[in-house]
Amino acid sequence: MRTAFITGITGQDGAYLAELLLSKGYRVIGMRPQRSTANLWRLNELNLTEQVELVEGDVTDLSSLVKLLDTYKPDEIYNLAAQSFVGTSWNQPILTCQITGIGALNLLEAVRMVHPESKYYQASSSEMFGKIQQPQQTEDTPFYPRSPYGVAKLFSHWMTVNYRESHGLFACSGILFNHESPLRGLQFVTRKVTDAVARIYYGLTDKVQLGNLDAQRDWGFARDYVEAMWLMLQQEQPDDYVIATGTTTSIRTLCELAFNHVNLDWTRYVEVDPKLYRPAEVEVLLGDPSKASRQLGWTPRTSVEQLISMMVESDLQRVRSEMKHVEGRSFL
Ligand code: NDP
Ligand code: GDP
């Protein structure tokens, strides 16, 4: 039985990756930082909490990583841990760099020192392209990050390449474009919109405030994307890959798709709040996944229309069950 070690197991991708690896018969060790409240809602939604082995550790604490790798000697390591919200990275740039940047270096060092046979996956990001230097971004497009998050991810990307080239680690960097799902955090624009659609539909609120409606993203489905992570670690040679759909959609069109799903006119409910504009914006991202398709045999299976419909449906169901719960309590 192969052992996989996932940092960031409680996040969106951590949950879907755990599901995939368990279905393939892996023993899954999931590391999570000690917090005052356990954040297990995603693992609970996928019924995985009892199937993964949760262990305490933090990517900013090298000693915890050394101890865990020494104990479990994993065949595959997936570094998904991050302060992953771009907006927060301007308010907490140092913390972001410690977790998202130095955190990856700590883990690479731990692998090098304790168990260099492990295959390592680094969760890199299209935010590294930032102010895009080519209309469609590939593995060869020059980087130009626009946020502390993007800069931190670029550091961990190059560290991954460097540990592969200097120490011979089997280390891969997956340059993943935005990927969403019903398990996406509420602060990200897709889920913020689909949650608002559900609340507006059921009369719980009547407006949603957004920032730049003209920004465009290449949005895919997280469950499709975790397969690409796994495929990278099954190749003969370690390498870096862009994972994307090859289509881009504006925030305006996202709103249209999401509100149309419940037959509402988005222009009546969406307000622009200039406070939500970013200090430096990534205006448009569009990935070219040709290399992944050629070498990994990976292609995205979910269109943006299907993705947004799935997310609205799931939020409608969540809001309905919240309302039932509240009604139920009123009879107590
Ligand atoms: P999430 O924000 O949902 O998950 C991040 C995870 O990191 C959470 O489990 C969080 O734990 C954990 N974490 C935070 N700080 C630490 C720490 N100090 N030590 C250990 N774990 C920590 O992100 P996603 O699942 O969406 O993304 C996974 C990875 O992929 C991230 O690195 C992200 O930056 C990257 N990425 C994501 C993209 C996307 O569109 N989703 C696109 C490209 C890259 P807790 O829940 O307790 O806070
Ligand atoms: P990111 O690509 O990782 O920053 O993912 P987000 O979902 O946070 O943001 C995607 C784009 O949506 C960015 O260009 C934001 O400026 C834009 N956007 C517009 N309004 C909002 C909003 O209210 N919240 C967020 N998170 N993003 C918004």
Side-chain angles (χ1 to χ4, degrees):
M1 186 191 242
R2 281 186 288 176
T3 301
F5 180 81
I6 305 177
T7 72
I9 183 100
T10 55
Q12 170 189 259
D13 293 5
Y16 285 120
L17 180 64
E19 178 188 64
L20 177 76
L21 296 174
L22 287 164
S23 76
K24 292 183 183 296
Y26 281 74
R27 176 185 186 194
V28 176
I29 313 294
M31 189 188 87
R32 60 183 178 136
Q34 175 60 35
R35 305 240 197 265
S36 50
T37 50
N39 176 18
L40 296 178
W41 70 271
R42 295 182 175 97
L43 292 172
N44 287 338
E45 278 209 15
L46 299 183
N47 291 319
L48 299 176
T49 311
E50 303 303 321
Q51 296 184 60
V52 295
E53 296 174 50
L54 293 171
V55 296
E56 196 180 303
D58 195 302
V59 289
T60 62
D61 177 29
L62 177 63
S63 64
S64 66
L65 302 173
V66 165
K67 208 179 302 169
L68 289 169
L69 296 195
D70 194 37
T71 306
Y72 294 104
K73 299 189 173 40
D75 300 288
E76 295 173 16
I77 296 173
Y78 296 86
N79 184 31
L80 309 184
Q83 187 305 94
S84 74
F85 185 48
V86 169
T88 295
S89 78
W90 277 285
N91 300 329
Q92 300 184 38
I94 297 170
L95 182 74
T96 299
C97 289
Q98 279 164 344
I99 300 172
T100 307
I102 299 292
L105 175 56
N106 282 333
L107 191 49
L108 285 161
E109 259 303 86
V111 175
R112 184 186 70 78
M113 292 189 300
V114 180
H115 200 246
E117 300 82 7
S118 295
K119 294 181 175 181
Y120 177 90
Y121 172 84
Q122 173 59 29
S124 292
S125 162
S126 55
E127 288 291 318
M128 302 189 305
F129 295 119
K131 189 172 176 181
I132 54 168
Q133 304 294 298
Q134 286 173 346
Q136 193 162 10
Q137 299 85 54
T138 71
E139 296 76 9
D140 299 321
T141 302
F143 298 116
Y144 191 145
R146 294 273 278 171
S147 63
Y149 169 81
V151 174
K153 280 288 181 192
L154 193 49
F155 172 88
S156 47
H157 166 74
W158 280 118
M159 276 298 171
T160 305
V161 174
N162 185 261
Y163 270 60
R164 179 168 77 219
E165 293 178 355
S166 334
H167 304 296
L169 294 191
F170 192 110
C172 300
S173 175
I175 307 174
L176 271 55
F177 282 62
N178 296 52
H179 45 281
E180 320 292 312
S181 72
L183 301 185
R184 187 60 146 151
L186 275 169
Q187 68 272 49
F188 295 90
V189 72
T190 49
R191 185 77 207 293
K192 183 173 172 181
V193 169
T194 60
D195 175 69
V197 166
R199 286 175 195 284
I200 290 167
Y201 183 78
Y202 284 114
L204 301 182
T205 184
D206 56 4
K207 293 283 177 215
V208 56
Q209 275 79 31
L210 299 178
N212 178 12
L213 301 183
D214 295 320
Q216 292 172 244
R217 288 293 182 272
D218 181 332
W219 281 302
F221 178 31
R223 195 177 254 145
D224 294 346
Y225 282 38
V226 298
E227 277 188 41
M229 299 177 185
W230 176 77
L231 282 168
M232 287 180 213
L233 298 197
Q234 313 313 309
Q235 304 306 303
E236 290 285 309
Q237 298 297 329
D239 206 343
D240 308 322
Y241 298 89
V242 160
I243 301 298
T245 67
T247 58
T248 191
T249 307
S250 68
I251 312 302
R252 205 178 292 278
T253 304
L254 153 72
C255 293
E256 203 179 323
L257 289 171
F259 280 90
N260 277 355
H261 190 80
V262 290
N263 294 319
L264 293 177
D265 172 6
W266 72 277
T267 58
R268 294 181 53 204
Y269 304 100
V270 173
E271 287 178 347
V272 171
D273 179 351
K275 284 201 292 294
L276 295 171
Y277 274 67
R278 290 178 172 174
E281 179 62 290
V282 172
E283 294 293 348
V284 55
L285 290 172
L286 173 63
D288 176 356
S290 308
K291 179 177 171 185
S293 156
R294 225 174 28 248
Q295 294 189 21
L296 303 177
W298 180 88
T299 45
R301 285 194 295 263
T302 313
S303 70
V304 70
E305 290 82 6
Q306 290 169 320
L307 174 66
I308 300 306
S309 297
M310 178 200 317
M311 292 176 69
V312 173
E313 279 301 320
S314 141
D315 278 322
L316 287 167
Q317 201 181 325
R318 283 188 181 117
V319 171
R320 264 196 310 272
S321 61
E322 261 175 55
M323 289 167 71
K324 269 198 203 126
H325 184 65
V326 172
E327 277 169 23
R329 283 171 58 143
S330 68
F331 292 107
L332 291 177

